[in-house]
Amino acid sequence: MNLILFGPPAAGKGTQAKRLVEERGFVQLSTGDMLRAARASGSELGERVAQIMDEGSLVSDEIVIALIDEQLEVQAGAPGFIFDGFPRTVGQAEA
């Protein structure tokens, strides 16, 4: 089972996601956390993300989808995923 959490900032999405992770063993995929981790990694992708964020621009759908796809592969045996902050655009939803 996969879940998408929708809601405004501070609505409790993260709190509910943590409960599901603890109680059901789901993997939380937070695009914000993934983008910050990519930036901190120093990888080629991380440097691209850092440049975009430093410019105050939005990270492209292509990059966000690549980060999600990577985690889906790495965590393939998980009982389910919680998408936190994804999808944010029609392009991401269609991916």
Side-chain angles (χ1 to χ4, degrees):
M1 176 188 315
N2 297 322
L3 303 171
I4 300 173
L5 300 179
F6 290 106
K13 299 179 302 292
T15 300
Q16 294 305 313
K18 285 183 178 108
R19 290 183 69 189
L20 290 165
V21 167
E22 291 171 5
E23 294 175 14
R24 306 285 180 167
F26 289 1
V27 173
Q28 180 180 6
L29 299 178
S30 167
T31 53
D33 290 348
M34 287 189 286
L35 289 167
R36 285 185 287 278
R39 179 186 182 126
S41 74
S43 68
E44 182 180 330
L45 178 60
E47 289 181 17
R48 285 177 53 202
V49 168
Q51 180 181 5
I52 293 165
M53 292 171 81
D54 289 346
E55 293 170 355
S57 299
L58 295 175
V59 177
S60 70
D61 286 351
E62 176 186 358
I63 292 173
V64 173
I65 292 165
L67 290 170
I68 292 286
D69 284 344
E70 178 181 65
Q71 287 304 306
L72 291 175
E73 288 179 25
V74 169
Q75 305 283 345
F81 294 94
I82 302 165
F83 296 95
D84 181 358
F86 181 88
R88 288 192 189 267
T89 67
V90 172
Q92 291 175 11
E94 292 175 342

